[in-house]
Each structure stands twice: as C-alpha cells, then as structure tokens.
C-alpha cells in the first residue's frame, strides 16, 4: 500500500532477466495430462468425520484475519521488527483462543524471554509444570549499510593506469558481495570468458583451458546469435529453447520456481561459480547501455497516483543464521559477488587488449569460436564495508496432540512464512498475498483441527516462519533445532501466496504445455478463478490424497511431483526437502503486485484462501491419520 508518497528514493537493482535459460520442454502424453490435473467443479458433501473442521473455515474469517495481519500497523512484518512481533502476538492469541498448545521455547532460567502468551512462570507462582511459549526465538546475524567500491589497475609496458568505479553508476550488485560475502577487500586478476558457455553438443566451450579460480570473471549475458539463423545455438529446437527461451508474456512470471512440468531452469552462472572465481562481472548482450542506465538511475519523484510498481528496491540488508552455511536461500546460497556492469566499465577493463566488449562480442558471433582470454596486467580491487549486528527473531509455533496413544509421538508440520519486506520511506510492503494469505491458511487449518471433535492419529504442528524473505531462515532453523524430533516428523505442508485468482490469459499460457492432442477437452474445463498449483513429493500419499479430497472442495489443481529431497525452491518447503521430508506446497497466481507495496488486502479472494485451506485441512488430516 502506498502512503502519501511524493518523494521516494529507491535504487533500482539491475537484473538481466535473460541469464536464466529454459531447458527443452518435454512433450506430455494425454494420460500424463489426466494424471497432472484434478478438476472438480461440483464438490460432494464432506464426510461427517471431517465436517465440523471443514465448516470452521470461511472466506469471511480469512479476510478478517488477513485485514489485521496485512494492515499498516504491522508495517510489512519484516523479520526482527516490532511490526512482525505485533502480528506474531496476534497469531499466538488466536492459537490460544482455539486451544492450540504452545510449541515454542521452554522458559529458560536466567534469560529474559519475551512475555506474551504462554510465557514462563511468574515469580512466586506455585511449581506448576513449566509450559512452552508460542515463540521459538533465535538470533540472526544482520548485515546492513553495505558500501562497495571497485577499482581497476592496468600495468602495460611499464605504465600503470588506474580507474575507480562507483556502485549504482558503473555497476550494480546482484548477489553476494552485499553482505553475503561480508566486509573486506580483495584484489584479483581478470579473465574474459565471452558468453561463458560450455555446450558439448556443438563443441563450443568458452571455459576450455582457463583457470577461473580466484579470478574476476568478465562475461556477456545470454548466448551468441539469437537473431542469426546460422548460429549453432539455433541449429536444433532443443538448443534454441535452452539458449533463447521466449520471454514470458506481459513480463510477469506466473510462478516462483519452475512451472509445472518443467525442471529447474539452467543457469550458466552456476557452472562458472563451481570453479570458484573471486567475482563475476556481467555485461548485457545488447548494443548500448541506455536501458542499463535507466534501470540503475534513481527516480527523483514519483507522481501522485502513479501506481507503477517499484521494481527491485534496495533491500534493507541481509540476514543469516550465525554458524550455519548451505541454506536453501533464494540465490542458491552462492556468496560469490556477482555484479552487472556497464559497457563503459567493461571497455575500461578490456583496456590492455585494445578491444572493446562489442568488438569481442561480434567476433564471437561471426566465427562462433571462443574469444576467451586472461587479461594480462589487469587487476580489480573490490572493497566492501558493512555494519553487522545480532537480531532476535521468532517463529510462531503451536500444536495439537494426535489421538493415537502411540502415533501421537509422530508429527506433521503445517507452515507458511509470516515475514515480509517491511517498509521503505513512505511505502509499506503489506504483503497481503505474500504471505499474509498463506499464514491465514495455516491458522485456518489450526482452527479447523481444533474445532473438529475427531483428531488425526498423529500430532500436528502449526508454524509461522520468520526470515523467509531473508533466505528461508526460520524454517531452516526449525529443521536444525526442532521442538519435536525430526526423525519423528512425517511430512510438511507449505502455503505461499494462496489468495490471488488466475486470469484466463495466464491460464491459457500455462495450459499450452498440457494442450497436447487428445487432452484439449480436459484443459478447456479449467476454471481460472479456482486454479492452483500443488507441488508434492512423488512416491508419497500426497497425490492420491489430493485427488480424493478435492472431490469435497472443488478446486482445479495442477499436480507437480518432485523427487524426495528435491524442492522447487523459493519457499520454506525447501528447508524440509533438504532434510528429506516429503512436502506438499500450494500456490495460487503470481501477479504484478508481487513484492510491491500494492500487494494489499482488498485485492485478495477470501473464498480462494478458504478453499485452499480446506484442501490443506483434509490433506493433513488424512495424511496424519493413516
Ligand atoms: Zn512468499
């Protein structure tokens, strides 16, 4: 929600969208389409066993809860802020009201824990058994006020040339180097790798014979010869789709992670990162820098009533779990600084060669032979300074005990991230869809299981995670420090963005991949407002349960299986996949309000939240009751 905005200063991050490359699409058979979809337009009455809980979930209550969680009072629920804690206390109060038991920390003698619901004993109270709180509290290391600078030194024929570059003018950090790598200074030689592509099928290897370790790698984005029919990268359909994927229509990604039926996108940078370079400098595969400069420039004013999204504003800083590495963060955990640079800067770096980036680019595009080389006498120094601090943060945790005397010692976890992106200047990132909606989904399931007289055999844990937007930190912390043993944890349900209905155009685009001969009639039946994607671990009961329970709910679902241990990235189910727990993960439409101040409560569908919550309730119940 934008508030009273006249002057806003934001730094635009420069993203070269085409660095990610789509692998060739597999052709589906009609029976695969049948298996991948669960379409139910007329739901059956829900069995009595589940009825009371099912009816405890409503669109009206979903909106009521979300209106507070995503209000301006909670100030975007950024991890470790007062706004987050206000929302966390609200959720804990509802858990308490519904009879959900606290599953957070035990009171610790000598530590001043947070007050709030279900906190420890007060002084002088009789010796009742100590009770857990609703909060699992831990420390994160926060890194902020990151300032970086880069300088170039070229030594040639006894002469030394130097030049300094400015962050936000000559280059823009994309990942790492802004906290990820921490403060410090390093100097390294530079190697030019062309497009940085290794494609054995056409005997094209721009990294051959080079040692990238500890060097600054200068690389062009994309691949050579997009518009050249004679380019070997256009030689086959597979290569074309891998190196020149069509940009998504409207410029809006419809889903985080790969689309249903698609493996994770191939990214050439990950191959370069594997060789351990000191840094990667990317220069855009275009002819001039006008768009680059425009994206990097700070808008001096925002017009009143200008509802254009603010793309990629500078984040307040980064966070990490101290002492823990290898998290499933959105950037894949790489801490190698990666910068987008202008061609002006690239040309300066190439100074010793007497060539420009565009000379080298056209040379590669003419010959389709690598032009990679070490840049003799060329060194870059990168210096980063930052403020670091420890910040106390909280997951909100509750549970309902299972009904079976033995199986109640096994646990199913239902979770969603509660945190969002806070505020910046006069803007509040309310995060109604992301992820107020999923948080309400978890609360709906908690309320429903509490309201149902029959309980599942196993215990159910309800979790509202902190730190997801900082790199899935709350869920990762839970799997490392579980209040209930992980080896007794049988499964995980994740909600992230479950309130925005799809529109017909987006559905039509997604459905192209299902539109194989023999499946057209089925695909035509999909109703956009009731469509959602369901990612799940294959070889587990989740797919069958989803189909069985959708008969009582009436959604149109696309099921996407993942191997055990594999996640689709981008949300907290990845933390559970990482420790080999099966998951099911629901998501509705991704809109242009994603990570914008315009992600506000009046745009969501309470009915969609309610139906997806009912699906989750029945799925969790059945899975934990077998
Ligand atoms: Zn999210």
């Amino acid at each position: 929600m934008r508030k009273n905005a006249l002057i806003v200063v934001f730094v635009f991050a420069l993203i070269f969208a085409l660095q990610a490359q789509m692998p060739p699409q597999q052709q589906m058979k009609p029976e695969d389409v049948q298996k991948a979809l669960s379409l139910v337009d007329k739901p059956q009455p829900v069995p009595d066993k589940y009825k009371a809980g099912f009816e405890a979930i409503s669109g009206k209550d979903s909106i009521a809860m979300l209106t507070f969680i995503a209000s301006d009072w909670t100030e975007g629920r950024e991890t470790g802020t007062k706004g987050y804690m206000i929302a966390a206390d609200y959720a804990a109060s509802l858990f308490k009201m519904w009879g959900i038991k606290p599953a957070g920390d035990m009171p610790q003698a000598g530590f001043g824990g947070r007050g709030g619901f279900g906190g420890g004993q007060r002084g002088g109270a009789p010796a009742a058994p100590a009770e857990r709180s609703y909060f699992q509290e831990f420390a994160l290391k926060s890194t902020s006020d990151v300032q970086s600078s880069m300088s170039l030194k070229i030594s040639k024929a006894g002469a030394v040339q130097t030049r300094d570059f400015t962050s936000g003018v000559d280059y823009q950090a994309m990942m790492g180097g802004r906290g990820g790598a921490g403060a410090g200074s390093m100097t390294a030689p530079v190697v030019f790798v062309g497009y940085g592509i290794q494609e054995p099928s056409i005997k094209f290897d721009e990294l051959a014979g080079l040692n990238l370790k500890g060097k600054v790698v200068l690389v062009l984005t994309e691949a050579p010869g997009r518009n050249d029919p004679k380019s070997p990268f256009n030689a086959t359909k597979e290569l074309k789709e891998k190196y020149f994927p069509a940009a998504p229509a409207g410029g809006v990604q419809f889903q985080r992670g790969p689309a249903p039926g698609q493996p994770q996108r191939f990214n050439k940078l990950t191959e370069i990162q594997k060789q351990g370079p000191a840094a990667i400098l990317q220069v855009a595969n275009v002819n001039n820098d006008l768009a680059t400069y425009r994206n990097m420039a700070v808008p001096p004013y925002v017009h009143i009533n200008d509802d254009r999204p603010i793309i990629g504003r500078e984040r307040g800083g980064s966070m990490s779990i101290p002492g823990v590495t290898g998290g499933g963060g959105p950037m894949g955990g790489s801490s190698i600084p990666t910068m987008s640079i202008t061609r002006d800067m690239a040309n300066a770096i190439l100074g010793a060669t007497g060539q420009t980036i565009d000379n080298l680019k056209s040379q590669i595009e003419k010959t389709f032979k690598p032009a990679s080389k070490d840049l003799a006498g060329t060194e870059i120094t990168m210096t980063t300074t930052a403020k670091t601090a420890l910040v106390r943060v909280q997951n909100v945790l509750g549970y309902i005990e299972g009904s079976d005397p033995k199986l109640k010692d096994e646990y199913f976890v239902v979770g969603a991230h509660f945190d969002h992106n806070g505020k910046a200047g006069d803007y509040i990132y309310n995060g109604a869809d992301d992820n107020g909606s999923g948080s309400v989904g978890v609360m709906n399931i908690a309320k429903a299981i509490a309201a149902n007289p029959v309980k599942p055999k196993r215990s159910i844990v309800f979790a509202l995670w902190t730190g997801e937007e900082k790199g899935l930190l709350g869920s990762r912390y839970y799997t490392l420090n579980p209040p209930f043993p992980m080896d007794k944890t049988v499964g995980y349900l994740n909600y992230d963005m479950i309130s925005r209905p799809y529109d017909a155009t987006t559905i039509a685009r997604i459905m192209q991949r299902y539109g194989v001969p023999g499946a057209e009639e089925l695909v035509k039946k999909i109703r956009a407002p009731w469509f959602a994607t369901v990612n799940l671990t294959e070889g587990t009961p989740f797919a069958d349960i989803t189909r069985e329970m959708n008969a009582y709910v009436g959604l149109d679902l696309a099921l996407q299986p993942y191997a055990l241990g594999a996640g689709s990235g981008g949300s907290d189910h990845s933390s559970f996949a990482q420790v080999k727990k099966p998951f099911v993960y629901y998501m509705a439409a991704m809109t242009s309000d994603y990570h914008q101040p315009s992600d506000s409560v009046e745009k969501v569908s309470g009915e969609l939240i309610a139906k997806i919550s009912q699906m989750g309730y029945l799925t969790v119940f059945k899975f934990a009751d077998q």
Side-chain angles (χ1 to χ4, degrees):
M1 180 179 294
R2 195 169 82 214
K3 302 188 64 188
N4 185 26
L6 274 175
I7 302 175
V8 178
V9 179
F10 287 113
V11 178
F12 278 51
L14 183 62
I15 308 278
F16 292 124
L18 289 171
Q19 62 153 315
Q21 290 146 0
M22 190 77 103
Q25 192 169 315
Q26 298 147 348
Q27 191 68 4
M28 291 184 99
K29 299 192 191 78
E31 55 269 30
D32 299 333
V33 177
Q34 182 92 40
K35 247 177 89 181
L37 297 173
S38 165
L39 312 179
V40 178
D41 60 348
K42 287 199 185 63
Q44 308 295 311
V46 69
D48 283 346
K49 181 180 177 182
Y50 308 118
K51 199 163 183 244
F54 190 86
E55 288 175 350
I57 296 171
S58 74
K60 181 171 70 60
D61 287 2
S62 299
I63 294 290
M65 288 186 275
L66 187 58
T67 302
F68 181 77
I69 290 170
S71 73
D72 285 356
W73 297 112
T74 63
E75 296 186 332
R77 306 182 303 283
E78 186 162 15
T79 298
T81 64
K82 181 177 170 185
Y84 178 93
M85 290 184 199
I86 290 172
D89 271 343
Y90 169 72
S93 75
L94 290 178
F95 278 1
K96 196 171 175 77
M97 187 165 86
W98 298 326
I100 315 290
K101 291 184 178 171
D105 300 327
M106 297 297 285
Q108 280 175 292
F111 284 93
R114 281 189 71 203
F117 299 89
Q121 293 162 245
R122 296 292 173 260
E131 206 184 55
R132 289 174 180 273
S133 110
Y134 283 107
F135 305 105
Q136 181 181 41
E137 196 165 72
F138 57 104
L140 289 178
K141 183 178 165 191
S142 102
T143 305
S144 59
D145 285 344
V146 180
Q147 310 282 342
S148 82
S149 63
M150 251 197 268
S151 61
L152 170 72
K153 187 173 139 191
I154 298 178
S155 319
K156 199 180 177 185
V160 174
Q161 255 188 311
T162 62
R163 187 167 156 188
D164 294 333
F165 301 106
T166 310
S167 175
V169 177
D170 301 304
Y171 68 94
Q172 193 82 54
M174 289 173 66
M175 62 181 103
R178 288 186 47 235
S185 179
M186 64 95 181
T187 299
V190 186
V191 55
F192 174 69
V193 298
Y195 288 87
I197 289 173
Q198 295 172 292
E199 182 51 62
S201 73
I202 51 169
K203 299 196 172 60
F204 187 81
D205 186 351
E206 293 183 291
L207 306 185
L210 294 174
N211 177 9
L212 308 188
K213 195 164 175 56
K215 293 183 188 162
V216 172
V217 174
L218 177 62
V219 60
L220 282 155
T221 63
E222 243 203 355
R226 172 185 278 276
N227 299 318
D228 177 1
K230 286 189 303 244
S231 162
F233 290 90
N234 276 321
T236 65
K237 191 167 165 285
E238 286 71 29
L239 284 168
K240 220 167 152 166
E241 281 172 358
K242 180 172 174 185
Y243 289 101
F244 307 119
V252 177
Q253 210 192 340
F254 62 83
Q255 178 175 9
R256 269 208 293 191
Q262 294 290 352
Q264 193 78 37
R265 282 177 171 217
F266 165 73
N267 185 343
K268 68 186 185 187
L269 290 188
T270 56
E271 292 305 311
I272 295 175
Q273 284 162 354
K274 276 184 201 157
Q275 298 205 27
I280 300 172
L281 306 181
Q282 283 200 107
V283 59
N285 183 32
V286 291
N287 290 319
N288 66 60
D289 276 338
L290 297 178
T292 307
Y293 282 122
R294 193 196 56 212
N295 288 338
M296 228 154 42
V298 175
Y301 305 106
V302 171
H303 298 290
I304 298 172
N305 297 330
D306 183 348
D307 263 338
R308 278 182 303 181
I310 307 165
I311 294 158
R313 63 124 171 156
E314 181 92 344
R315 292 273 171 259
S318 63
M319 286 182 165
S320 59
I321 305 176
V324 174
T325 52
M331 296 304 188
S334 165
S335 62
I336 295 165
T338 302
M339 319 281 176
S340 294
I341 68 170
T342 61
R343 358 188 53 66
D344 176 45
M345 178 166 165
N347 289 339
I349 294 169
L350 290 166
T353 68
Q355 279 175 300
T356 66
I357 190 74
D358 287 318
N359 290 155
L360 290 162
K361 168 176 144 64
S362 54
Q363 184 189 322
I364 299 167
E365 288 184 326
K366 239 176 247 152
T367 61
F368 294 101
K369 294 250 156 56
S372 310
K373 59 184 132 194
D374 280 297
L375 303 184
T378 306
E379 270 181 358
I380 284 184
T381 299
M382 289 174 61
T383 306
T384 306
T385 59
K387 260 193 216 155
T388 57
L390 290 172
V391 181
R392 261 196 213 187
V393 301
Q394 295 86 13
N395 289 325
V396 184
L397 300 177
Y399 78 109
I400 291 176
E401 202 163 74
S403 57
D404 184 275
K406 275 210 187 96
L407 292 174
K408 76 180 169 61
D409 293 332
E410 294 185 3
Y411 301 87
F412 188 101
V413 182
V414 179
H417 76 88
F418 206 37
D419 69 305
H420 191 55
N421 290 328
K423 57 179 183 166
D426 288 328
Y427 289 79
I428 293 178
Y429 291 76
N430 299 93
D433 183 44
D434 186 15
N435 186 26
S437 68
S439 304
V440 166
V442 171
M443 291 159 79
N444 276 334
I445 296 176
K447 182 187 178 197
I449 293 178
N452 206 61
V454 184
K455 308 288 181 223
K457 289 179 184 151
R458 289 175 184 78
S459 298
I460 313 292
V461 180
F462 305 100
L464 299 172
W465 309 120
T466 192
E468 192 266 359
E469 304 282 11
K470 311 284 184 192
L472 319 180
L473 303 178
S475 53
R476 173 99 169 118
Y477 184 85
Y478 179 98
T479 61
L480 294 169
N481 302 275
F484 307 109
M486 280 317 280
D487 60 3
K488 297 276 182 194
T489 299
V490 297
Y492 176 66
L493 176 140
N494 193 61
Y495 281 149
D496 199 350
M497 305 170 66
I498 58 165
S499 67
R500 300 292 295 266
Y502 276 87
D503 59 63
T505 318
T506 311
I507 287 287
R509 182 151 43 84
I510 296 176
M511 287 307 135
Q512 280 171 7
R513 86 174 49 88
Y514 295 132
V516 298
E520 301 92 340
E521 286 308 304
L522 193 64
V523 165
K524 247 189 260 163
K525 285 190 192 155
I526 293 170
R527 300 157 304 158
W530 301 114
F531 181 79
T533 51
V534 191
N535 292 328
L536 44 81
T537 308
E538 69 188 356
T540 65
F542 279 128
D544 288 343
I545 293 176
T546 303
R547 256 179 266 282
E548 177 191 342
M549 294 306 182
N550 194 24
Y552 309 121
V553 177
L555 285 167
D556 289 348
L557 302 172
L559 278 57
Q560 166 65 36
Y562 286 85
L564 183 67
S568 54
S571 194
D572 295 297
H573 59 289
S574 299
S575 298
F576 284 81
Q578 202 176 352
V579 292
K580 301 263 185 319
K581 298 296 164 190
F583 68 82
V584 59
Y585 163 33
Y586 279 81
M587 199 180 160
M590 172 165 276
T591 69
S592 56
D593 297 313
Y594 173 67
H595 282 199
Q596 303 301 328
S598 54
D599 177 5
S600 48
V601 70
E602 70 277 3
K603 293 180 182 159
V604 315
S605 161
E607 290 308 313
L608 187 60
I609 299 176
K611 271 191 189 288
I612 293 177
S613 301
Q614 286 171 331
M615 264 312 297
Y617 160 68
L618 293 172
T619 301
V620 169
F621 204 127
K622 175 96 189 195
F623 193 101
D625 200 42
Q626 310 206 68

